[in-house]
Amino acid sequence: MRRVFMVNFGVFLLFCFGFLSNSFGQDNLDSDVNSSSTSVYIVTLRQAPTLHLLQQQEEAKVNRVRDKHHQGSKHGDTSKFTKPKIPPRNISKSRYWRSRRSAIVQAHDSLLRTTLKGEKYIKLYSFHYLINGFAVFVSSQQAEKLSRRKEVANIVMDFSVRTATTYTPQFMGLPKGAWVKEGGYETAGEGIVIGFIDTGIDPTHPSFNGTDTSKRQYPIPKHFSGVCEVTPDFPSGSCNRKLVGARHFAQSAITRGIFNSSEDYASPFDGDGHGTHTASIAAGNHGVSAVVSGHNFGSASGIAPRAHISVYKALYKSFGGFAADVVAAIDQAAQDGVDILSLSITPNRRPPGVATFFNPLDMAMLSAVKAGIFVVQAAGNTGPSPKSMSSFSPWIYTVGAASHNRVYSNSIILGNNVTIPGVGLALPTDEGKRYRMISALDALKNKSSGVDKDMYVGECQDYDGFDKNLVSGNLLICSYSIRFVLGLSTIQQALAVSKNLSAKGVVFYMDPYVLGFQINPTPMNMPGIIIPSAEDSKVLLKYYNSSLERDGTTKEIVRFGAVAAIAGGQNANFSNRAPKIMYYSARGPDPEDSFLNDADFLKPNLVAPGNSIWGAWSSVATDSTEFEGEKFAMMSGTSMAAPHVAGVAALIKQKYRKFSPSAIASALSTTAVQFDNKGEAIMAQRAYANPDQTLSPATPFDMGNGFVNATAALDPGLIFDTSFEDYMSFLCGVNGSAPVVFNYTGKNCLLSNATLIGSDLNLPSITVARLNSTRTVQRLMTNIAANETYSVGLIPPFGVSMKVSPTHFSIANGETKLLSVILQATKNSSIASFGRIKLLGNTGHNVHIPVSVIVKIASNR
């Protein structure tokens, strides 16, 4: 089924997290602190965090060297001394880090004791690396006291969030493309660490063995300093050279008294399945057999199968998660030295305030980007409405969900030769033979009272009420009602009942009250099918009822005349048109604020396979009953799409070790494809119900730059790079943002020499929310390939004239050139229109820049 994982984000904090503590106030928590007015708050202090101080020290060192060189140089050439070093990625190994952390923790404790002297509170975390602050469980009155302290810059209360492969590497062209270019799957992603903030991991799964299927051991990533927790359910030896780090964060949930250690596991172990699944998509071992219900569905592989995995569990099966725990996980991942950070987490609502970007999660990720970490986030499963985007900020790489061309088709052939399509990873009935069908409602021992006693008897959940002599050897017809959607009834239970009754197979018809629910192929250990269409279900029932013979007097059924054969659904079909944008994938334009004003940059950034994705599954996962006890599961959602891109990002980082996060984003975006496997424009589903009947061409607000192209992304030609300082200038340019920026980052916008609007950020796309007459937009390009000559092609948005300069240019390796784009509104319109700039290189590089203009106001002249 499609996963939408709810997370009650505890106090949403800003940037840094890291040092876990359980500091109490003067006494232990009692009824005073447990009052209804208490909550978790994330408090940010004005003093700079460790990361900022390290970078300031490097900048000062560079300035001293530059000044010294300038004094002794006749020409004053200091260009090679002007770039400070990035702080070491494995910062937690340094003596400075340990002393700095200790000093900050002591400062936090001192501030709390001084401010809340004699009162009760619980400090959950001290954050020091990405931000300087802490999470604390206090009353609203105590929070007010803290907010009045001069040391305190910002204080925020928690809010909720939600989480939004056997074949997809082939569909993405990896075996004959990206993997081959970089030495094959045997080395794909080697040396790169991907951090996952999710529900944990099952370390016993073969997708995470320390030696791959060729028995080659993984090298130890020297830049990584993470550790593995050891608990009874995550024992010593759980980690290895593949799984190099594992921690869990649950202090906020524990403080609230909602943490169930037996169900949620107070360890990195995955009791849900979601985290195991996402980790395997990005970096699972190559060649692992995906066996489900005894059938081998192929060999699974992650996108970067030789990449390392570090897990930061902050989401839990029974309650979701809290912001304070998630921010702590992000901070720890940054300290440990991960290269890529994958989050299938989005806020449960649009953050309030002057802009959506100013929320603790996004600001924590901004600091992670400053530390050199490429951050991938799921767009959210809130589509297909416009402005349904749940990932907001330009420094975050936002991924939507698309289909791929593999489909598991099943069908049932009725005795009247009508074929009805359906789903179900099921065995077929005997070839060429049709079996009698009998409805569960007609197979009861006591037909007069069975339905009265159990109105859900038609769902085939209880063995005792049925007449085995009637069912044995026949196809049992069961109802698929809303109770299956809610988890109150299950396919597996119906299959167990059918087997106990010696049924030949089972047929599920759709209750007409179940509307717009996507049913993924479900494993069945016997012949079976689910008919997902209510209309097709009516056809089945009409045939069944018309084939019954009844006694003329008693009206009792004397003969069941309906027969059918089930084709089976375990064999995949690879002829489907794909990709297409899934209806649930969140859409742009990006809402800039709670008033739904549009931002001047593109969201989503990209789409990737997210529908019907095979991935590793936790051995104890009970969230999806269809795959309970299995080692693999098929899931759908933007949660599945994001780790595909995280895996490709690892391949890019492996090849270009010095690439900044924005350079990786650029390589992914400019090389994306806009056409499907049939050479036609990618289509997008537009409605929740009957989505394939509402297809229309996808726009950048549906798919961003397009569908991920892993092979091309490893050779992008031109790069559009954006710095942390650019993002800060953008934030300072948001109207009324100066106090908020200062509170979150300590940056005084009033001292800034320049501000930027969103469309001025050096992004690989151009988005203008409001084009009032004319606007000039510029992009700075850097050539990372050999010398090349480019020609420029244009497709202007409707109602807009577009001129680009230069129209033809040569650019040497390492050289930069400025691209100027003049947009002029020629018609008044509030309907978004879309165009594209194509930079076509003479050695084969094709760089695509989508152009989106929403409101257009033409000049009266």
Side-chain angles (χ1 to χ4, degrees):
M1 65 178 66
R2 180 169 59 87
R3 294 294 311 279
V4 180
F5 191 84
M6 303 302 296
V7 186
N8 299 314
F9 241 52
V11 199
F12 223 42
L13 187 55
L14 218 217
F15 301 126
C16 254
F17 42 22
F19 184 76
L20 180 72
S21 81
N22 213 354
S23 301
F24 286 76
Q26 300 300 314
D27 299 296
N28 289 339
L29 182 68
D30 62 11
S31 58
D32 294 339
V33 181
N34 271 326
S35 68
S36 59
S37 62
T38 55
S39 186
V40 177
Y41 291 82
I42 296 176
V43 181
T44 309
L45 305 185
R46 298 186 187 278
Q47 188 177 8
T50 303
L51 174 64
H52 292 218
L53 289 177
L54 285 169
Q55 292 180 333
Q56 289 171 9
Q57 288 175 1
E58 289 296 332
E59 289 169 2
K61 186 185 301 182
V62 166
N63 289 335
R64 287 194 299 269
V65 173
R66 182 187 58 201
D67 292 343
K68 182 178 180 180
H69 177 79
H70 180 77
Q71 293 169 6
S73 172
K74 294 180 180 180
H75 305 288
D77 179 11
T78 61
S79 59
K80 64 180 179 180
F81 297 101
T82 57
K83 189 174 182 180
K85 295 180 182 178
I86 297 175
R89 299 301 309 283
N90 53 349
I91 184 67
S92 61
K93 292 181 179 179
S94 72
R95 184 180 302 173
Y96 174 83
W97 177 87
R98 293 191 296 270
S99 62
R100 173 70 181 163
R101 179 183 69 176
S102 178
I104 288 181
V105 170
Q106 291 177 19
H108 294 168
D109 293 340
S110 177
L111 175 62
L112 284 166
R113 285 195 300 268
T114 303
T115 308
L116 306 177
K117 187 174 182 180
E119 300 179 22
K120 300 175 181 63
Y121 60 87
I122 300 177
K123 188 188 75 171
L124 309 182
Y125 299 100
S126 275
F127 313 108
H128 75 92
Y129 186 61
L130 298 179
I131 57 169
N132 183 356
F134 51 85
V136 61
F137 188 70
V138 291
S139 68
S140 56
Q141 293 82 5
Q142 290 173 313
E144 176 64 24
K145 288 182 182 180
L146 287 168
S147 70
R148 292 196 295 265
R149 292 292 300 236
K150 64 180 182 180
E151 300 96 331
V152 173
N154 198 44
I155 184 166
V156 185
M157 184 187 289
D158 256 348
F159 59 85
S160 62
V161 301
R162 52 190 167 197
T163 64
T165 130
T166 60
Y167 175 67
T168 46
Q170 283 79 3
F171 183 67
M172 292 167 62
L174 294 173
K176 295 182 180 180
W179 285 350
V180 172
K181 279 190 172 185
E182 301 306 313
Y185 72 82
E186 297 91 347
T187 60
E190 195 166 275
I192 304 301
V193 181
I194 307 177
F196 296 89
I197 297 179
D198 216 300
T199 63
I201 196 167
D202 182 349
T204 67
H205 199 282
S207 290
F208 313 121
N209 284 346
T211 55
D212 60 21
T213 52
S214 62
K215 306 302 180 183
R216 295 172 64 247
Q217 282 200 344
Y218 286 82
I220 299 174
K222 295 180 180 179
H223 68 282
F224 183 76
S225 61
V227 300
C228 283
E229 293 180 11
V230 175
T231 69
D233 45 40
F234 207 86
S236 177
S238 294
C239 285
N240 49 49
R241 290 170 177 248
K242 174 72 171 182
L243 176 58
V244 294
R247 301 172 185 255
H248 85 288
F249 302 83
Q251 290 297 98
S252 189
I254 292 170
T255 301
R256 288 167 167 79
I258 63 171
F259 188 87
N260 184 336
S261 59
S262 61
E263 182 177 354
D264 296 314
Y265 297 94
S267 77
F269 191 84
D270 184 8
D272 176 87
H274 188 272
T276 300
H277 198 273
T278 56
S280 71
I281 292 172
N285 285 329
H286 182 274
V288 180
S289 295
V291 177
V292 176
S293 288
H295 182 78
N296 192 334
F297 287 92
S299 294
S301 175
I303 301 302
R306 289 287 289 183
H308 304 275
I309 294 169
S310 187
V311 169
Y312 304 86
K313 179 179 174 180
L315 305 175
Y316 297 85
K317 179 181 181 295
S318 67
F319 60 87
F322 292 93
D325 296 329
V326 172
V327 174
I330 296 174
D331 188 72
Q332 187 62 58
Q335 293 178 53
D336 290 347
V338 301
D339 300 288
I340 315 290
L341 195 57
S342 181
L343 299 94
S344 293
I345 302 169
T346 60
N348 197 32
R349 58 179 174 85
R350 292 188 184 91
V354 296
T356 51
F357 329 121
F358 295 113
N359 68 79
L361 183 58
D362 286 38
M363 298 307 288
M365 288 189 276
L366 175 58
S367 277
V369 168
K370 183 180 183 181
I373 301 168
F374 180 72
V375 179
V376 186
Q377 185 179 23
N381 297 332
T382 49
S385 299
K387 303 187 183 186
S388 54
M389 186 55 52
S390 298
S391 174
F392 309 107
S393 299
W395 51 85
I396 300 169
Y397 204 76
T398 304
V399 184
S403 67
H404 52 90
N405 67 339
R406 183 195 62 209
V407 176
Y408 292 98
S409 300
N410 198 349
S411 61
I412 183 170
I413 303 93
L414 306 181
N416 58 3
N417 292 322
V418 172
T419 298
I420 299 175
V423 297
L425 302 172
L427 295 165
T429 50
D430 298 335
E431 186 176 354
K433 186 175 181 180
R434 294 178 179 178
Y435 292 84
R436 182 176 290 109
M437 294 191 293
I438 181 168
S439 169
L441 299 176
D442 297 326
L444 300 174
K445 292 177 180 177
N446 188 339
K447 298 178 178 61
S448 61
S449 62
V451 177
D452 294 333
K453 289 182 178 179
D454 183 2
M455 62 184 296
Y456 305 113
V457 68
E459 298 173 5
C460 307
Q461 299 294 294
D462 187 2
Y463 164 83
D464 293 334
F466 294 104
D467 185 338
K468 185 173 182 178
N469 292 326
L470 282 175
V471 177
S472 180
N474 298 319
L475 300 177
L476 182 62
I477 301 177
C478 307
S479 168
Y480 191 103
S481 76
I482 192 67
R483 287 167 54 86
F484 285 83
V485 179
L486 299 175
L488 302 175
S489 296
T490 71
I491 296 292
Q492 298 305 319
Q493 179 60 25
L495 292 173
V497 168
S498 300
K499 278 203 163 188
N500 284 333
L501 294 170
S502 299
K504 180 63 181 178
V506 60
V507 179
F508 294 91
Y509 68 89
M510 188 60 58
D511 187 294
Y513 293 103
V514 182
L515 298 176
F517 181 73
Q518 176 185 339
I519 300 176
N520 277 337
T522 300
M524 300 181 183
N525 55 8
M526 66 187 303
I529 188 172
I530 308 170
I531 302 173
S533 164
E535 291 302 314
D536 286 341
S537 296
K538 290 179 182 178
V539 173
L540 169 75
L541 295 177
K542 182 178 179 180
Y543 165 69
Y544 172 80
N545 289 321
S546 67
S547 301
L548 294 173
E549 292 184 15
R550 296 180 182 269
D551 183 274
T553 304
T554 65
K555 304 302 180 184
E556 292 287 328
I557 298 174
V558 295
R559 181 176 177 271
F560 296 93
V563 294
I566 296 173
Q570 293 181 336
N571 296 321
N573 183 315
F574 298 95
S575 61
N576 211 41
R577 181 179 173 181
K580 63 185 173 187
I581 312 305
M582 302 308 299
Y583 65 90
Y584 52 79
S585 186
R587 312 296 168 91
D590 188 21
E592 186 177 55
D593 51 37
S594 56
F595 299 105
L596 297 184
N597 292 314
D598 300 318
D600 283 310
F601 50 82
L602 185 61
K603 292 291 177 179
N605 298 103
L606 199 73
V607 292
N611 202 63
S612 299
I613 306 298
W614 283 116
W617 200 239
S618 176
S619 57
V620 301
T622 58
D623 183 70
S624 179
T625 56
E626 293 87 349
F627 295 99
E628 191 170 342
E630 303 286 356
K631 283 190 173 295
F632 282 84
M634 180 180 286
M635 309 298 287
S636 295
T638 56
S639 283
M640 284 69 244
H644 278 87
V645 174
V648 178
L651 301 181
I652 298 172
K653 185 70 173 179
Q654 179 188 19
K655 182 175 181 179
Y656 302 102
R657 296 290 180 139
K658 295 184 179 180
F659 260 23
S660 68
S662 63
I664 296 174
S666 176
L668 286 163
S669 295
T670 61
T671 59
V673 296
Q674 296 80 45
F675 299 94
D676 62 24
N677 57 352
K678 306 298 182 182
E680 303 291 335
I682 293 175
M683 306 295 279
Q685 296 175 335
R686 301 291 178 190
Y688 192 82
N690 302 315
D692 278 339
Q693 297 178 18
T694 62
L695 292 170
S696 65
T699 74
F701 290 160
D702 303 313
M703 65 177 181
N705 281 58
F707 184 82
V708 61
N709 185 344
T711 302
L714 290 174
D715 185 19
L718 302 178
I719 287 295
F720 301 85
D721 213 345
T722 308
S723 68
F724 174 80
E725 289 71 24
D726 292 334
Y727 293 131
M728 294 305 300
S729 296
F730 158 71
L731 291 176
C732 284
V734 176
N735 188 34
S737 67
V740 187
V741 172
F742 183 79
N743 286 345
Y744 270 120
T745 69
K747 178 180 176 64
N748 190 340
C749 290
L750 301 178
L751 301 178
S752 179
N753 296 326
T755 59
L756 297 173
I757 58 175
S759 58
D760 288 333
L761 286 169
N762 200 47
L763 302 174
S765 60
I766 296 173
T767 303
V768 178
R770 185 179 180 86
L771 179 59
N772 193 342
S773 185
T774 303
R775 181 180 298 182
T776 299
V777 178
Q778 295 182 323
R779 293 291 183 265
L780 188 66
M781 308 169 292
T782 302
N783 184 17
I784 65 164
N787 301 352
E788 194 164 4
T789 299
Y790 284 85
S791 58
V792 180
L794 301 177
I795 302 176
F798 179 78
V800 178
S801 71
M802 184 165 65
K803 296 179 181 180
V804 178
S805 177
T807 59
H808 189 86
F809 62 90
S810 295
I811 185 168
N813 171 257
E815 186 182 359
T816 60
K817 280 194 179 295
L818 193 66
L819 191 73
S820 294
V821 182
I822 301 176
L823 301 170
Q824 183 175 10
T826 59
K827 295 180 181 294
N828 292 319
S829 175
S830 60
I831 300 175
S833 55
F834 308 95
R836 191 167 294 274
I837 300 172
K838 301 178 181 180
L839 308 180
L840 307 176
N842 67 338
T843 67
H845 293 109
N846 295 323
V847 178
H848 296 266
I849 307 171
V851 180
S852 309
V853 182
I854 304 176
V855 176
K856 294 164 282 287
I857 304 172
S859 174
N860 293 326
R861 293 181 296 176

